[in-house]
């Protein structure tokens, strides 16, 4: 029996998981930078809240991507 299709599916799921992790890490770095810049430049609260909402959307997207990668891996078995 060939393991080639299974290995390809594992590689695809691993890529999706890495992509979700990169989105999550990038969102975290963006959020920390936005907080730091907001404090240093004394941005208004409305601007800071906008960046908080953008970060929340990024974390939500990474959560969705993680769910999709897990679901795809479960459907392969």
């Amino acid at each position: 029996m060939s393991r080639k299709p299974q290995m390809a599916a594992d590689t695809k799921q691993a890529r999706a998981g890495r992509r979700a992790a990169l989105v999550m890490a990038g969102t975290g770095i963006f959020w920390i930078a936005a907080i730091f810049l907001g404090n240093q430049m004394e941005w208004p609260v409305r601007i800071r809240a906008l960046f908080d909402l953008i970060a929340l959307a990024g974390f939500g997207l990474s959560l969705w991507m993680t769910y999709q990668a897990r679901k795809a891996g479960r459907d392969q078995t």
Side-chain angles (χ1 to χ4, degrees):
M1 218 177 210
S2 176
R3 293 207 18 103
K4 203 75 140 161
Q6 180 65 31
M7 289 177 63
D10 289 344
T11 304
K12 185 177 179 182
Q13 183 184 5
R15 262 191 248 128
R18 279 193 301 268
R19 193 176 8 222
L22 286 173
V23 169
M24 192 178 300
T27 301
I29 290 169
F30 166 78
W31 195 22
I32 291 170
I35 290 171
F36 177 76
L37 286 174
N39 288 335
Q40 293 296 315
M41 302 178 93
E42 298 179 359
W43 288 342
V45 175
R46 292 178 77 178
I47 299 297
R48 294 179 194 197
L50 175 66
F51 283 109
D52 286 345
L53 287 174
I54 292 170
L56 182 63
F59 285 126
L61 175 65
S62 66
L63 183 63
W64 178 254
M65 291 170 72
T66 303
Y67 171 75
Q68 291 294 322
R70 176 70 180 129
K71 184 179 171 189
R74 203 171 349 147
D75 290 344
Q76 291 294 326
T77 59

